[in-house]
């Protein structure tokens, strides 16, 4: 494997930073070079958030450029459309079907795209849709949406499941490990 | 052992390994995590200082007393700390002194995108620039050695993409650093003109030695490749350049002031085309042009925003990105918003309703300038709201002041708002100032400050009493009001703006994201009662959604603060459990 470029996109507060840490730590354990780029500050407060994770033999720039992402995980369906032109031609997407309205939509100034999922499908032939919020709710904690999605991603990357779980253990607080592990496995087994 | 670390985390590790014992800062994105992480190490005294000037002064004191000390801030913070910076360049150090500055090209979370490298040149201080987390750690340690060898403070500059990127760091051992002996030395540390004149001569000698050092240090290095293209670059721009030009020759600068002129001349001589690739200003480029060397740089590259490998490919290699997955439709923007339950929302609702001119400041509440509240007129820098409100009154008179308020957070007020308030009292202004006291520094992610009653390590400490403080500086009218209680809050604001004396309103209600803040859980709209009047939409709560034919609450977002219930005349908002079924 030369390099895998991953993007995590979503809405501030959905837990994408933690998700990126899990991927990065797993890559390190697998002895890949890895870089993760995240932006804090304004973007934490309900704004559009993007995190780049690049792993492989040698990684220089921490940014993924337009047309370069091998995989985009979108925590929210509108965000999948916003970032879709970063996907490479044969790239894959994992899209959480959750909808979170941006402020211009809430105030009625702009429209949330109709049939977002169909649009994503028409632009990307290799896409996995999942209602991660529902899965997380069933597990008893809506905050683990991120780990359900990481579970799905894990299967697409040449890193063993045991390594992923080790990475998870290292990144999340001990008292939350069990619920996060369940969420990860739920995603992994989809 | 190898670890994945944020650039900021790696800086903290470097400080620890270098034997630092004093660390100071005022939080500011993207520099905040440096000191947050340092505070986790035992044996390092760490503090959130009231502002960057104080932070640097504490670090200078610690250095003169013999400790290795580190002081961290964001670029605009260096403006605040510029006064001591220029003089500590003269006094030099005793224990090593490193100043961390994080610039924010692209302004992800800043009001301007200034280039801190100019401060290094203006203050005659060397500046280093790491290009990944490993270098963050190594360069900080090297900066301490340089600081002590050359008797000067050293600036280490990060940018957002370095500070907030994680990459692999090889951990090292902690150096055994013993406090240096403190010796009284007024000729070196008391900068009265007679001493300072002598010290300036020393500074110039030191710069000459540093220029020599810059040519020899491993911080600057040549990576020979194909000699058709030579690239001089530093920091994150190095990484983008490596990606866009795989086979070119590189002169990678780790020390960007003073520059290694001999090395630059040698490199330039060997390559056919020479590019200087740097983010923001042509700092390196201009210095190289002064040597009479022809370079391509800012004549084609932008001076605004962040660079990327794609920008370099486009501008320098004429390779265009061919998008294919682009969606035709316009995707609605998703600007940041005040959180559900945010106490500032009620306050801005009142200010908007009263159609006041609002002189604003830097913090979460700056979001009050965005729709739908759109209730902030100005925002310049930390602490400016109060002085600017005073200036508005002096320009347009007391009647204008009766329609004007200044809003400022608790942390920002301590940072640099208090001097503005003293000015109002002293110079007979009548402004009304509202301190948004949410018990924490919200914007940067919940750091304590002198009004919160806890230190950086979470230890209880004396808490600034804002009421007594206001009285002490001569404000006689001080009111505490709860911004959730809209009616009462409105009454208080109306009263205070109408008086012809300065007044202070403390809008007191903790940040909704604080762990100890508990809410009763989501509300739901009783459809039978809702008349779809849309009064509730005016507070701009992200949890209240207008679906065209009906209003709905997003229960995943709603915390149940109840602000919306105060605006609803029909009692349509009820606890989710009290209404059967979905709404």
């Amino acid at each position: 494997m030369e390099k895998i470029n991953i993007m995590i996109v979503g809405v501030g507060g959905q837990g994408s930073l933690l998700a990126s840490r899990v991927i990065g730590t797993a890559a390190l354990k697998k002895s890949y070079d890895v870089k993760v780029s995240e932006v804090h500050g304004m973007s934490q407060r309900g704004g559009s958030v993007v995190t780049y994770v690049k792993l492989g033999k040698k990684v220089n720039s921490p940014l993924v450029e337009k047309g370069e992402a091998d995989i985009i995980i979108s925590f929210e369906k509108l965000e999948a459309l916003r970032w879709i032109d970063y996907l490479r031609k044969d790239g894959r997407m994992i899209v959480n079907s959750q909808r979170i309205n941006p402020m211009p939509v809430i105030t009625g100034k702009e429209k949330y795209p109709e049939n977002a999922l169909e649009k994503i499908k028409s632009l990307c032939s290799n896409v996995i849709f999942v209602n991660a919020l529902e899965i997380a709710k069933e597990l008893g904690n809506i905050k683990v949406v991120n780990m359900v999605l990481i579970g799905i991603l894990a299967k697409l990357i040449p890193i063993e499941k045991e390594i992923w779980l080790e990475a998870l253990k290292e990144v999340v607080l001990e008292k939350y490990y069990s619920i996060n592990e369940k969420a990860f496995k739920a995603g992994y087994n989809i | 052992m190898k670890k994945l670390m944020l650039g900021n985390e790696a800086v903290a590790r470097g400080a620890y390994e270098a034997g630092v014992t004093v660390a100071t800062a005022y939080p500011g994105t993207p520099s905040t995590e440096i000191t947050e992480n340092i505070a986790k190490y035992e044996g390092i005294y760490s503090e959130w200082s009231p502002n960057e000037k104080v932070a640097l002064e504490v670090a200078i004191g610690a250095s003169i007393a013999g400790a290795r000390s580190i002081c961290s801030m964001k670029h605009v913070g260096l403006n605040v700390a510029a006064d001591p910076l220029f003089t500590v360049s003269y006094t030099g150090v005793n224990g090593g002194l490193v100043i961390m500055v994080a610039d924010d090209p692209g302004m992800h979370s800043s009001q301007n995108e200034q280039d801190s490298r100019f401060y290094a040149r203006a203050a005659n201080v060397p500046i280093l620039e790491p290009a990944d987390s490993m270098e963050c750690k190594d360069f900080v340690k090297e900066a301490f050695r340089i600081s002590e060898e050359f008797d000067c403070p050293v600036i280490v500059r990060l940018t957002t993409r370095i500070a907030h990127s994680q990459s692999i760091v090889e951990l090292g051992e902690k150096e055994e650093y013993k406090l240096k002996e403190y010796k009284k030395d007024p000729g070196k540390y008391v900068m009265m003109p007679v001493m300072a004149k002598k010290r300036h001569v020393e500074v110039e000698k030191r710069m000459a030695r540093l220029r020599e050092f810059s040519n020899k240090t491993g911080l600057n290095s040549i990576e020979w490749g194909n000699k058709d293209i030579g690239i001089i670059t530093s920091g994150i721009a190095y990484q983008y350049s490596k990606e866009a030009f795989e086979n070119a020759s590189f002169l990678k600068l780790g020390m960007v002031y003073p520059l290694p002129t001999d090395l630059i001349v040698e490199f330039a001589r060997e390559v056919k085309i020479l590019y200087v690739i740097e983010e923001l200003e042509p700092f390196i480029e201009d210095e190289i042009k002064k040597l009479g060397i022809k370079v391509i740089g800012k004549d084609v590259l932008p001076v605004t925003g962040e660079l990327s490998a794609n920008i370099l490919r486009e501008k320098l290699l004429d390779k265009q990105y061919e998008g294919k997955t682009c969606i035709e439709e316009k995707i609605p923007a998703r600007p940041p918003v005040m959180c559900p339950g945010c106490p500032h929302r009620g306050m801005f609702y009142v200010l908007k309703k009263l159609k006041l001119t609002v002189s604003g400041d830097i913090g979460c509440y700056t979001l009050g300038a965005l729709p739908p509240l759109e209730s902030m007129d100005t925002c310049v820098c930390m602490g400016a709201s109060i002085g600017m409100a005073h200036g508005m009154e002096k320009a347009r008179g007391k009647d204008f002041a009766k329609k004007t308020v200044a809003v400022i957070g608790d942390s920002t007020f301590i940072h640099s708002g208090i001097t503005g308030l003293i000015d109002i009292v002293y110079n007979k202004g009548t402004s009304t100032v509202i301190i948004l006291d949410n018990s924490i520094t919200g914007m940067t992610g919940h750091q304590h400050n002198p009004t919160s009653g806890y230190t950086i390590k979470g230890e209880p400490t004396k808490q600034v009493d804002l009421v007594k403080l206001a009285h002490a500086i001569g404000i006689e009218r001080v009111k505490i009001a709860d911004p959730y209680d809209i009616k009462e809050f409105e009454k208080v604001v109306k009263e205070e703006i109408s008086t012809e004396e300065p007044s202070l309103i403390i809008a007191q209600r903790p940040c909704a994201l604080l762990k100890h803040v508990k809410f009763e859980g989501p509300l739901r709209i009783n459809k039978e009662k809702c008349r779809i009047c849309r009064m509730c939409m005016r507070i701009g709560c992200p949890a209240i959604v207008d679906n065209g034919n009906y209003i709905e609450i997003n229960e995943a977002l709603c915390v149940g603060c109840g602000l919306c219930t105060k605006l609803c005349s029909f009692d349509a908002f009820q606890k989710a459990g009290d209404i059967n079924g979905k709404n």
Side-chain angles (χ1 to χ4, degrees), chain A residues 40, chain B residues 6-16 23-41 44 46-48 70-74 98-103 136 140 156-159 162-164 447 456:
Chain A
H40 308 188
Chain B
L6 210 58
N8 284 342
E9 231 179 320
V11 167
R13 179 72 195 187
Y16 164 77
T24 62
Y26 182 81
T29 312
S31 70
T32 312
E33 298 80 6
I34 297 173
T35 312
E36 276 180 343
N37 280 289
I38 290 178
K40 291 177 190 163
Y41 291 106
I44 305 182
S46 319
E47 70 167 43
W48 291 130
I70 189 166
C71 174
S72 310
M73 61 198 71
K74 68 182 294 181
V98 170
I99 302 165
M100 297 301 309
V101 181
D103 285 4
C136 282
V140 164
V156 179
R157 179 207 190 211
L158 308 179
T159 53
I162 299 291
H164 283 172
Q447 290 75 29
I456 189 171

Side-chain angles (χ1 to χ4, degrees), chain B residues 465-534:
Chain B
D465 184 328
L466 289 171
V467 178
K468 281 189 189 159
L469 179 68
H471 286 321
I473 63 171
I475 303 265
E476 284 172 18
R477 299 184 67 97
V478 183
K479 294 270 169 68
I480 296 178
D482 179 359
Y484 273 3
D485 188 348
I486 292 181
K487 266 195 193 144
E488 178 62 22
F489 197 83
E490 184 179 336
K491 201 178 120 218
V492 170
V493 173
K494 272 185 178 161
E495 263 169 32
E496 297 312 311
I497 52 176
S498 64
T499 61
E500 293 202 356
E501 61 177 306
S503 57
L504 182 69
I505 301 169
I506 302 171
Q508 214 163 49
R509 177 57 82 160
C511 171
L513 299 182
L514 283 169
K515 283 203 181 87
H516 61 80
V517 173
K518 299 273 183 251
F519 292 99
E520 290 188 357
L523 301 176
R524 196 174 282 172
I525 291 177
N526 187 335
K527 270 189 171 173
E528 282 167 16
K529 292 188 171 183
C530 177
R531 307 274 179 91
I532 319 176
C533 70
R534 295 191 168 81

Side-chain angles (χ1 to χ4, degrees), chain A residues 36-38 45 79 119, chain B residues 33 161 166 329 334 337:
Chain A
V36 180
S37 183
E38 49 193 55
R45 309 195 185 273
E79 294 307 310
K119 273 174 194 148
Chain B
E33 298 80 6
R161 288 291 161 199
Q166 301 167 45
E329 190 177 345
R334 191 186 295 276
V337 287

